[in-house]
DNA sequence: TTGAAAGCGCTAACAT
DNA sequence: ATGTTAGCGCTTTCAA
């Protein structure tokens, strides 16, 4: 039986609305009264019930975060950053996992809708039109997808894929395979689009494989295919797949980077410990989490259209959300899983860059 | 402006209480009326507002989960399992991160208290008495700590530490170091207690180092100390520290397991990819997450002491929570980071077990 | 089987 | 500066 606003009012000899003001509009209450109320509240262990408050203010001070797989090492840094940013602004965060299932996404958004002020939708697999539909139920910020009309945060994987392809082409690779990601992934399409363009520009052949599940197993399963297409370099949709591929190639006795070069995308923590260490495109996931929370809450400060009394107050404030789209830079991190290919020009400059060893150009975020 | 119960009542020509019953006590409403109400609700996209419902029922259908560090690979599988289990029972889960800061724990529990039906407190660093105090504000299930009077889920790290020490002693190690975990960790104390006992029984010396931060850096930082104490084997508080130690020993040119054997605890995903592959004690983290949710919700089915009308209903139901303590088994996973020590008996049986290579006895959960 | 009415804890317009 | 009052969306007695 936690203390309510009424208990505090009684114990400090004021009306409940004075107690209410003490917490939600302190400047409207006499300093002396305020400190008295605060003192009794403290002694009773009173804390305003946010759910009750939300019922009338329309602000829950909660945020939803939907990801494909909590245990995928790509997400925890993003979740952590989002949680931290939210808490700093006194928001709590619901986390949900779709298990890579597109149909679970809509259901989760709808289930959360009434309890949150907005939802961060991470790497969605559902269609754009369904996303738009969801956004009519609850404010949405989309991460890792560009949806016109909706605020979104994406990493520039297009640039990243281009950098990766150019890196490989510069090393003398002309036959490159792209391990595509899961169906429905905007990031996967973007990588593909950009990689194809870059390969053409560099005079290299790009064979697209997939779609594949974005897991180690997915990468491992693609190893056979990779060998069959006769490429000398591979760009994977993400590090997890690249790591799986690395493992499987090792089991098959294929040497990396001597026989095949491998590049990942994301720069998750384990990628620094593979043998050879993985060359990859670092994506600023923590920054993305923070940015998404900021975008959501920025608009969340404006009072919501609510009328405590019928006939009073305005109609629906047509939330003029500036639907900003934020693109965060990526960075190619050259480690040891990429080396010279068959067409390496006799240019000592390239050879030096290609030499195995930590020639990393690395910038975090 | 989402549809409310009133909109549905109006549109289907019944009183709001009938709509309410349709959702919370369907058997009390005429089948025909029910399907009509359901149909209009569906067409209006109506979903009961859980916060409003909670206000009167006292059940939020939310659960809090507090961990030390979301990005620590130990936690994501636990979070994922807990979330999945909770959702299956139609509960949502708040996740919060303390950043390994003991003082943040209490604040987080209190901040969540009103919005959840209970909190899962993971690997707490605060004192038992503070935990008990928190448990008066909100039902608690503690994970990775035994607190008398409170339901808790622990992994049997005592057994795990013993297995590890016996494994090392059996390999002929007599000088073993224990890399202690963070201050305030029950698990760390438990490992220490059990490892000391096992070492004595096996006739080995155990040097305890620490406390250390439970991170790769913490493990790396301890490498110097490890060399100075002149041990031939190390048991680390967790895999993260073991991995950091492995890296640092490699940089220092110390060969593992030839010069020093290393054992971790947890069996997090990256431990399968270290070179050499890490011998470790597997802890069933996913099972722990599920068990904790089950324990919390099991008691949560009983109606809460609430009176919709003054004078009616019973007083406080003195929640007779069966404060069960669940202990989950651990399992030693022998990989390649442990090998023969200086006192290895000339027993071919031991030698075989100690031979490098995957002699893994591995059982997941 | 359904309707009426009270109230969960809180905020906000209005009155004083 | 404080009190009064209505009501957020919902459940739950009680009466019909």
């Amino acid at each position: 039986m936690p203390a309510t606003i009424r208990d505090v009012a009684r114990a400090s000899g004021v009306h409940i609305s004075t107690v209410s003001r003490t917490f939600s509009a302190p400047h409207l209450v006499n300093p002396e009264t305020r400190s008295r109320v605060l003192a009794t509240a403290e002694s009773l262990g009173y804390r305003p019930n946010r759910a009750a408050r939300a019922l009338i203010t329309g602000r829950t001070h909660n945020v939803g975060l939907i990801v494909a797989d909590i245990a995928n090492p790509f997400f925890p840094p993003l979740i952590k950053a989002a949680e931290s940013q939210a808490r700093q602004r006194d928001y709590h965060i619901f986390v949900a996992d779709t298990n890579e299932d597109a149909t679970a996404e809509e259901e989760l958004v709808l289930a959360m809708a009434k309890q949150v002020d907005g939802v961060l939708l991470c790497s969605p697999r559902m269609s754009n039109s369904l996303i738009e539909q969801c956004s009519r139920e609850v404010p949405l910020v989309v991460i890792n997808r560009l949806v016109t009309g909706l605020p979104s945060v994406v990493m520039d994987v297009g640039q990243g894929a281009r950098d990766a392809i150019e890196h490989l082409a510069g090393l003398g690779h002309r036959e490159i395979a792209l391990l595509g990601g899961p169906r429905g992934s905007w990031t996967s399409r973007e990588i593909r689009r950009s990689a194809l363009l870059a390969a053409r520009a560099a005079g290299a052949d790009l064979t697209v494989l997939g779609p594949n599940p974005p897991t180690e197993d997915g990468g491992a399963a693609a190893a056979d295919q990779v060998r069959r297409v006769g490429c000398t370099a591979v760009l994977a949709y993400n590090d997890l797949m690249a790591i799986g591929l690395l493992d499987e190639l090792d089991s098959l006795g294929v040497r990396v980077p001597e026989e095949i070069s491998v590049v990942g995308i994301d720069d998750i923590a384990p990628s620094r410990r593979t043998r050879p260490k993985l060359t990859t495109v670092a994506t600023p996931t923590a920054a993305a989490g923070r940015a998404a929370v900021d975008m959501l809450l920025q608009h969340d400060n404006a009072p919501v259209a609510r009328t405590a009394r019928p006939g009073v107050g305005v109609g629906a404030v047509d939330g003029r959300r500036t639907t900003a789209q934020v693109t965060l830079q990526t960075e190619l991190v050259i480690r040891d899983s990429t080396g010279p290919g068959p067409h390496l020009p006799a240019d000592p400059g390239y050879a030096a860059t290609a030499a195995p060893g930590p020639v990393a150009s690395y910038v975090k975020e």
Side-chain angles (χ1 to χ4, degrees), chain A:
Chain A
M1 49 249 72
T4 78
I5 201 173
R6 242 172 289 267
D7 298 324
V8 179
R10 202 171 310 134
S12 48
V14 296
H15 194 267
I16 61 163
S17 47
T18 301
V19 178
S20 174
R21 283 184 205 108
T22 304
F23 287 94
S24 40
H27 59 281
L28 292 181
V29 50
N30 183 305
E32 282 178 32
T33 322
R34 191 198 310 159
S35 56
R36 187 155 42 92
V37 169
L38 250 20
T40 28
E42 167 80 28
S43 78
L44 293 179
Y46 168 78
R47 295 207 159 208
N49 182 324
R50 298 176 145 215
R53 179 182 282 176
L55 207 49
I56 183 159
T57 62
R59 301 247 136 289
T60 63
H61 265 242
N62 291 151
V63 170
L65 173 58
I66 298 178
V67 301
D69 180 6
I70 296 172
N72 176 334
F74 173 79
F75 290 109
L78 192 154
I79 300 174
K80 186 182 171 88
E83 195 272 342
S84 163
Q85 190 79 354
R87 260 204 62 65
Q88 205 165 308
R89 300 173 170 235
D90 198 25
Y91 276 71
H92 289 175
I93 195 154
F94 281 113
V95 175
D97 180 309
T98 66
N99 264 310
E100 294 280 352
D101 173 11
T103 62
E105 294 176 352
E106 188 193 8
E107 176 49 31
L108 280 172
V109 171
L110 264 30
M112 285 183 170
K114 294 289 208 328
Q115 293 193 84
V116 300
D117 294 342
V119 171
L120 311 183
L121 193 56
C122 256
S123 314
R125 305 283 185 251
M126 62 176 156
S127 69
N128 273 5
S129 63
L130 211 49
I131 293 181
E132 273 158 33
Q133 197 173 313
C134 285
S135 82
R136 279 197 286 276
E137 295 292 319
V138 57
L140 240 48
V141 172
V142 185
I143 301 176
N144 280 348
R145 181 125 155 200
L146 232 33
V147 184
T148 41
L150 287 186
S152 45
V153 177
V154 298
M155 334 262 189
D156 197 347
V157 286
Q159 177 70 53
R162 191 174 333 140
D163 290 346
I165 296 295
E166 285 171 3
H167 167 60
L168 292 172
L171 284 169
H173 294 279
R174 292 287 173 274
E175 296 292 334
I176 306 177
L178 172 65
L179 251 56
R183 200 181 303 280
S185 159
W186 177 89
T187 298
S188 186
R189 286 196 301 275
E190 190 66 10
I191 290 169
R192 177 196 172 123
R193 187 188 60 70
S194 180
L196 282 169
L197 246 46
R200 182 172 318 161
D205 274 351
L206 190 82
T207 309
V208 180
L209 270 29
N212 305 286
T215 61
E216 288 185 52
D217 287 347
D224 260 348
Q225 242 183 317
V226 162
R227 291 177 82 191
R228 252 182 282 123
V229 302
C231 60
T232 62
V234 180
L235 171 60
Y237 164 73
N238 68 6
D239 281 3
L240 230 37
M241 293 179 66
I243 289 172
L245 178 63
L246 242 34
D247 272 3
E248 188 64 14
L249 289 178
D250 186 57
S251 307
L252 295 173
V254 179
R255 286 168 306 143
V256 174
E258 290 78 5
E259 296 176 65
I260 295 189
S261 285
V262 175
V263 180
I265 297 181
D266 285 347
D267 194 25
I268 59 180
S271 301
R272 282 155 225 179
R273 276 194 305 273
T274 55
R275 294 295 167 95
K277 287 179 185 151
L278 187 66
T279 293
T280 187
V281 175
T283 53
T285 53
R290 282 191 294 270
V293 168
D294 282 347
M295 289 177 71
L296 191 62
L297 300 191
Q298 170 190 337
H299 305 284
D300 209 53
N301 295 328
V304 129
R306 281 289 175 143
T307 43
R309 203 166 270 232
V312 183
V314 293
V317 168
D318 66 311
R320 186 190 337 95
R321 302 173 69 79
T322 55
T323 59
Q325 324 253 53
V326 171
T327 301
L328 301 171
Q329 296 308 304
T330 58
E331 187 87 19
L332 179 66
V333 183
I334 299 171
R335 297 206 183 96
D336 310 333
S337 65
T338 46
H343 303 274
L344 178 65
D347 176 353
Y350 277 126
T353 303
V359 192
S361 86
Y362 182 87
V363 176
K364 184 84 178 168
E365 300 178 11

